Amino acid sequence: MTPLLSLRHISKSFPGVKALQDVSLDLNAGEVHALLGENGAGKSTLMKILCGIYRQDEGEIIIDGKTCDFHGYQDALDAGIGIIFQEFSLIPDLDAVDNIFLGREKRNRLGLRDRRGMVAEAQRLFERLKVTIPLDCPIVELSVADQQFIEIAKALSLDARILVLDEPTATLTPSEADYLFSIMRELRKQEVGMVFISHHMEEIFTICDHVTVMRDGEKVYDCDTASTTPDDLIERMVGRRVENLFPEYRCDADHTDVVLDIEALRLDPEGPEYSLKLHRGEILGFAGLVGSGRTELAMGLIGATRPVHAKVNMEGKPIKLRHPATALKHGIGLLPESRKTQGLVLPFSCRDNISLNNLAQFQGALPFIKRRKESSIAADLMASVRVKAPSPETPVDNLSGGNQQKVVIARWLGHQCKVLIFDEPTRGIDVGAKSEIYALMKELTAQGVSIIMISSELPEVLGLCDRVAVFYQGRIAAELKGENLSSQSIMHHATGGLSA
């Protein structure tokens, strides 16, 4: 059978970097093909070549047995290739219909915009996907899952027979991810070929038929999913066997030493009142469904959302949470959910990002920065968290997701933070980088740093946390620890008692 898509001997270089070396891949109609690899392995570069964003130096793209020559993104769309990026490309203030047909609106015989025709076509697309989405609602008011389905509908409206899904479940709840998989199974029946990029092993074995593993710009493994195992794929991805993803359990918390005591915290006049204690050397998990209030409480703790009422003590002394700078002064730092938009200035160097909100430390007698001192301290902090970069002058945008996350951690270590809030710390990073982040978090607690970790991944919560606060509809529904801490108990409270 002729493959729907063949990538043959693809190579691509950037100045000083060999991004891809002789990579080949086949995708059949009605197949879900997993593309695995660590951040920086070359997956995104290969897919950008497939979608016409980059042009290969060597090799060819073959669709239905015919060689294609893409000079831009539109050429790939015309050839029936659609890509759903991890960061959506929807216009927030437009509705689903306008987003699907943006730039190629239907016209009637008079040349006027045919809104009725576009609505009818959008309804047919959603019926094909078996989803119900309000057609006249602005995108900004829809759930992340609905936005994901609109992106898929938009690709199908272009008659896409090849879909690239880049980390499509990164911002979905487990139930939303399951529904996405049901849509993918329906598309598989309709002979659509899909390339699926994910760092979640359980997803690979749930939905994928075939898997290709990349490392350092080369294809290192290719097989049917049924003939391999998660451990085998992880070893081929990272070039070594990851014996234990999570560090050996050792509770570093001193339960007689309360670092952060939230006696009463209210973010909204009509909202719930939170109370929590965080002990020295403890990892306290915030679990719950997306939108359950976990990040909102974190924003309140650093003063990004100013509480309407707060009685909070830091090491026994009352503190005010008026502004992030105030929280930082008291030793509270946040690694935000989106490191690229909230945590880093991507074109800046590692040095600039690490010292960004601590420049007073490097100011001399005159109002100039002591660059030598700044670079030296940045290099020491990068070494302490094992950032893999040529030098402190390397632009952060050139680093993998895991190393970008480590740069944010290095910044807060430069402030000697006593409390660090990690919001989805391993989202979008590979399994090798995850194990390094986990080990680093345990090292920090051993040094007396206290951590609040917000995570939607239950294995991560269970593998790292000493205690877990479970959120439901903006409230803390339960605090779990010891033998009461399990995936079943977390989901029971996170769903309001609806899940066993």
Side-chain angles (χ1 to χ4, degrees), residues 6 11 53 73 108 112 134 141 146 165 198 202 222 250 254 315 336 369 425 444-445 448-449 451 461 473 479:
S6 291
S11 294
I53 299 170
Y73 187 39
N108 61 22
L112 301 175
E141 297 178 14
D146 283 347
L165 298 106
S198 176
E202 67 277 10
D222 188 272
R250 185 185 76 254
D254 180 355
E315 296 183 323
I369 299 299
L444 291 173
T445 59
V449 176
I451 293 175
V461 172
Q473 294 186 348
E479 286 187 44

Coordinates of all heavy atoms in Angstrom, one line a residue, residues 6 11 53 73 108 112 134 141 146 165 198 202 222 250 254 315 336 369 425 444-445 448-449 451 461 473 479:
S6 N 5.0 10.3 2.8 CA 6.4 9.8 3.0 C 7.3 11.0 3.1 O 7.3 11.9 2.3 CB 6.8 8.9 1.9 OG 6.1 7.7 1.9
S11 N 17.0 16.5 5.7 CA 18.0 17.1 6.5 C 17.8 18.6 6.5 O 17.3 19.2 5.6 CB 19.4 16.8 5.9 OG 19.7 15.4 6.0
I53 N 6.6 25.7 6.6 CA 7.2 26.8 7.4 C 8.7 26.9 7.2 O 9.2 28.0 7.0 CB 6.8 26.7 8.8 CG1 5.3 26.7 9.0 CG2 7.4 27.8 9.7 CD1 4.8 26.4 10.4
Y73 N 3.6 28.0 3.8 CA 2.5 27.3 4.6 C 1.3 27.0 3.7 O 0.7 26.0 3.8 CB 2.2 28.2 5.8 CG 1.2 27.6 6.8 CD1 1.3 26.3 7.1 CD2 0.2 28.4 7.4 CE1 0.4 25.7 8.0 CE2 -0.7 27.8 8.3 CZ -0.6 26.5 8.6 OH -1.4 26.0 9.6
N108 N -21.8 35.0 -1.7 CA -22.9 34.7 -2.5 C -22.8 35.2 -4.0 O -21.7 35.7 -4.3 CB -24.2 35.2 -1.9 CG -24.2 36.7 -1.7 OD1 -23.5 37.4 -2.4 ND2 -25.0 37.2 -0.8
L112 N -21.3 39.2 -1.8 CA -21.4 39.6 -0.4 C -21.1 38.4 0.5 O -21.2 37.2 0.0 CB -22.9 40.1 -0.1 CG -23.3 41.3 -0.9 CD1 -24.8 41.6 -0.6 CD2 -22.5 42.5 -0.7
P134 N -21.2 26.3 20.5 CA -22.0 27.5 20.1 C -21.3 28.3 19.0 O -20.1 28.6 19.2 CB -22.1 28.3 21.4 CG -21.0 27.8 22.3 CD -20.8 26.4 21.9
E141 N -14.6 33.1 25.2 CA -15.5 32.7 26.2 C -15.7 31.2 26.2 O -16.5 30.6 27.0 CB -16.9 33.4 26.0 CG -16.8 34.9 26.2 CD -18.2 35.5 25.9 OE1 -19.2 34.8 25.9 OE2 -18.2 36.8 25.8
D146 N -13.0 23.2 23.7 CA -13.8 23.7 22.5 C -12.9 24.4 21.5 O -13.1 24.2 20.3 CB -14.9 24.6 23.0 CG -16.0 23.9 23.6 OD1 -16.1 22.6 23.4 OD2 -16.9 24.5 24.3
L165 N -0.9 17.0 15.2 CA -1.4 17.5 16.5 C -0.2 17.6 17.4 O 0.4 16.6 17.8 CB -2.5 16.5 17.0 CG -3.7 16.4 16.1 CD1 -3.7 15.1 15.4 CD2 -5.0 16.5 17.0
S198 N 3.4 14.0 21.6 CA 3.1 14.1 23.0 C 4.2 13.6 23.9 O 5.0 12.8 23.4 CB 1.8 13.2 23.3 OG 1.5 13.2 24.7
E202 N 1.2 7.3 28.4 CA -0.1 6.6 28.4 C -0.9 7.0 27.2 O -1.7 6.1 26.7 CB -0.8 6.9 29.7 CG -1.3 8.3 29.9 CD -0.2 9.2 30.5 OE1 1.0 8.8 30.6 OE2 -0.6 10.4 30.9
D222 N 11.8 3.0 15.2 CA 10.5 3.1 14.4 C 9.8 1.7 14.6 O 10.4 0.7 14.3 CB 10.8 3.4 13.0 CG 9.5 3.6 12.2 OD1 9.0 2.7 11.6 OD2 9.2 4.8 12.1
R250 N 11.4 10.7 50.2 CA 12.0 11.1 51.5 C 11.4 12.4 51.9 O 11.6 13.4 51.2 CB 13.6 11.2 51.3 CG 14.2 11.5 52.7 CD 15.7 11.8 52.5 NE 16.0 13.1 52.0 CZ 16.4 13.3 50.8 NH1 16.5 12.4 49.9 NH2 16.6 14.6 50.4
D254 N 9.7 19.6 57.9 CA 9.8 19.7 59.4 C 8.4 20.3 59.8 O 8.1 21.4 59.7 CB 10.9 20.7 59.8 CG 11.0 20.9 61.3 OD1 10.1 20.3 62.0 OD2 11.8 21.6 61.8
E315 N 6.9 32.9 58.4 CA 7.8 32.6 59.5 C 7.4 33.3 60.8 O 8.2 33.8 61.6 CB 9.3 32.9 59.2 CG 9.8 32.1 58.0 CD 11.3 32.4 57.7 OE1 11.7 33.6 57.8 OE2 12.0 31.4 57.4
P336 N 5.5 30.5 36.7 CA 4.2 30.5 36.2 C 3.8 29.4 35.2 O 4.7 28.7 34.7 CB 4.1 31.9 35.4 CG 5.5 32.1 35.1 CD 6.4 31.5 36.2
I369 N 25.3 48.6 35.5 CA 25.3 47.2 35.9 C 26.7 46.7 35.9 O 27.4 46.9 34.9 CB 24.4 46.4 35.1 CG1 22.9 46.9 35.2 CG2 24.4 44.9 35.5 CD1 22.4 46.9 36.6
P425 N 4.8 22.6 36.5 CA 6.3 22.7 36.2 C 6.8 21.9 35.0 O 7.9 22.2 34.5 CB 6.9 22.3 37.5 CG 5.9 21.4 38.1 CD 4.6 21.9 37.8
L444 N 16.0 21.0 46.5 CA 15.6 22.3 47.1 C 14.9 22.1 48.5 O 15.2 22.8 49.4 CB 14.6 23.1 46.2 CG 15.2 23.6 44.9 CD1 14.2 24.2 44.0 CD2 16.3 24.7 45.2
T445 N 14.0 21.1 48.6 CA 13.4 20.9 49.9 C 14.4 20.4 50.9 O 14.3 20.7 52.1 CB 12.2 19.8 49.7 OG1 12.7 18.6 49.2 CG2 11.1 20.4 48.8
G448 N 15.8 23.1 52.6 CA 14.9 23.9 53.5 C 13.9 24.8 52.7 O 13.1 25.5 53.3
V449 N 13.9 24.7 51.4 CA 13.0 25.5 50.6 C 11.6 24.7 50.6 O 11.6 23.5 50.6 CB 13.4 25.6 49.1 CG1 12.4 26.3 48.3 CG2 14.8 26.4 49.1
I451 N 7.8 24.1 48.9 CA 7.3 24.2 47.5 C 5.8 23.9 47.5 O 5.3 23.0 48.2 CB 8.0 23.2 46.6 CG1 9.5 23.6 46.4 CG2 7.3 23.0 45.3 CD1 10.3 22.5 45.6
V461 N 1.8 14.4 41.1 CA 1.3 14.8 42.4 C 1.6 13.6 43.4 O 2.1 13.9 44.5 CB -0.2 15.1 42.4 CG1 -0.7 15.3 43.8 CG2 -0.5 16.3 41.5
Q473 N -14.3 23.6 42.4 CA -15.2 24.8 42.1 C -14.7 26.0 43.0 O -15.5 26.7 43.7 CB -16.6 24.5 42.4 CG -17.2 23.5 41.3 CD -18.7 23.3 41.5 OE1 -19.3 23.7 42.4 NE2 -19.3 22.7 40.5
E479 N -7.8 18.0 52.2 CA -6.4 17.9 52.3 C -6.1 16.4 52.6 O -6.6 15.8 53.6 CB -5.9 18.8 53.5 CG -5.9 20.3 53.2 CD -5.2 21.1 54.3 OE1 -4.1 20.6 54.7 OE2 -5.8 22.1 54.7

